[in-house]
Amino acid sequence: MTYCVGIKLDAGLVFLSDSRTNAGLDQISTYRKMMVYEKTGDRFMVLLSAGNLSISQSVREILQVEKLDNGDDEPITIWNATSMFDAARVLGSAVRRVYDQDGPSLKQAGVDFNASMILGGQIKGEAMRLFLVYSAGNFIEATRETCYFQVGESKYGKPVLDRMITPHTALDEAAKCALVSMDSTLKSNLSVGLPLDLLVYEAGTFQSQQMVCIDERNPYFAMIRSTWGQRLRQVFESIEDPQWDGSAAEHPLCVPSDRYEPMRKITHPGEKII
């Protein structure tokens, strides 16, 4: 399993991925889940992948040369697509090609065709775009209402993203938020692990030098992990405890509901509460 997140903001894009794969507790390996495609001044794209590693690797290999029929014009590839939508179509075609090649054999072996990917970036002439591509090769696009996508073990890192990320969030704040989201996932799930790959892309630049591989010795991520845990504890302890004895409280717990009756107890075998 893995955890990847892509965030689309007014100011740019943020991508973060872990690198752990496992086929059981005693078969844990490290493989990068992030690929960067850059043609300076023309296009910049990032691909994040989760799911079956053999499928993801095959898709990434085929993506380099995959072509979509374009009638009498030159076939569409990720290197000549005039829109990120077309680039996402090429990725979807690569996924379907791998399914056609390997799907029947995987099914015969009892293995699901499991792969999900995030593709984001910018092609000259249009704004940044971010897509979530499913195992069937179909995809959806990020909007201002839903400006980030996750693949893999998403549930642990989602709450902080939901509370903090908006289209107006600054790039550095979003990168920090993504790292906190990753820390929450690392804390709760052993199938996600270091090192991490973090990339920040500034809108309109068609290149990025803000890339870093984060391992267990990275001082900034170590600070994030320590500080986030400490501050969560401080906030938790600052919330008043529930009062059960009816004593005065600023935020009383034991108040009657306007709609529902109190819970009833069953006190003998013949009693019914329905």
Side-chain angles (χ1 to χ4, degrees):
M1 188 51 75
T2 189
Y3 176 51
C4 303
V5 57
I7 305 171
K8 177 178 173 289
L9 309 164
D10 293 339
L13 297 161
V14 174
F15 300 92
L16 178 65
S17 62
D18 85 314
S19 59
R20 177 165 293 179
T21 63
N22 70 86
L25 293 176
D26 57 348
Q27 296 185 45
I28 297 174
S29 303
T30 298
Y31 289 91
R32 280 202 153 113
K33 317 295 177 59
M34 181 185 295
M35 295 292 291
V36 181
Y37 306 91
E38 178 180 299
K39 189 176 180 182
T40 305
D42 180 67
R43 65 195 57 222
F44 183 88
M45 292 175 283
V46 175
L47 176 67
L48 306 177
S49 60
N52 185 292
L53 181 62
S54 67
I55 296 172
S56 298
Q57 287 186 340
S58 295
V59 170
R60 293 190 322 208
E61 187 72 18
I62 290 175
L63 181 61
Q64 297 267 39
V65 296
E66 182 69 3
K67 298 178 181 180
L68 288 182
D69 181 71
N70 196 26
D72 295 333
D73 296 327
E74 182 182 3
I76 300 172
T77 72
I78 62 169
W79 299 109
N80 67 9
T82 57
S83 70
M84 283 298 301
F85 181 85
D86 280 345
R89 288 177 57 214
V90 176
L91 175 57
S93 177
V95 173
R96 286 188 289 270
R97 178 175 294 197
V98 174
Y99 178 81
D100 291 341
Q101 293 176 354
D102 299 341
S105 297
L106 290 171
K107 184 177 181 180
Q108 187 175 5
V111 178
D112 292 333
F113 189 88
N114 175 27
S116 52
M117 301 184 177
I118 295 171
L119 177 69
Q122 186 174 19
I123 293 175
K124 190 173 183 179
E126 72 164 9
M128 300 174 299
R129 302 176 77 172
L130 183 70
F131 297 90
L132 175 60
V133 183
Y134 298 104
S135 296
N138 58 323
F139 52 84
I140 60 173
E141 183 173 1
T143 64
R144 296 190 70 79
E145 294 74 28
T146 304
C147 61
Y148 73 86
F149 288 133
Q150 302 167 284
V151 292
E153 285 290 351
S154 60
K155 55 186 176 291
Y156 305 104
K158 191 174 188 298
V160 65
L161 296 172
D162 285 340
R163 290 180 181 273
M164 299 302 298
I165 295 297
T166 73
H168 306 296
T169 304
L171 282 172
D172 286 343
E173 287 188 3
K176 177 171 62 177
C177 187
L179 289 170
V180 171
S181 174
M182 180 65 75
D183 173 59
S184 299
T185 307
L186 291 169
K187 184 71 173 178
S188 300
N189 194 296
L190 292 176
S191 68
V192 179
L194 299 168
L196 315 175
D197 287 310
L198 173 66
L199 184 148
V200 174
Y201 169 77
E202 186 177 348
T205 59
F206 304 103
Q207 59 86 34
S208 177
Q209 300 301 324
Q210 294 179 291
M211 299 182 293
V212 63
C213 179
I214 299 170
D215 64 12
E216 64 277 1
R217 294 183 296 276
N218 184 279
Y220 183 80
F221 190 60
M223 179 275 294
I224 286 280
R225 306 201 75 178
S226 174
T227 302
W228 182 244
Q230 292 173 0
R231 297 294 172 83
L232 277 179
R233 171 58 63 179
Q234 291 173 6
V235 171
F236 177 79
E237 292 176 348
S238 71
I239 299 173
E240 65 177 304
D241 295 334
Q243 300 295 326
W244 297 94
D245 57 4
S247 58
E250 182 178 357
H251 303 96
L253 171 67
C254 297
V255 296
S257 169
D258 294 333
R259 180 177 179 184
Y260 301 102
E261 296 178 354
M263 180 74 70
R264 291 170 55 190
K265 300 177 183 178
I266 297 178
T267 59
H268 58 80
E271 188 171 7
K272 304 292 184 183
I273 63 171
I274 297 177

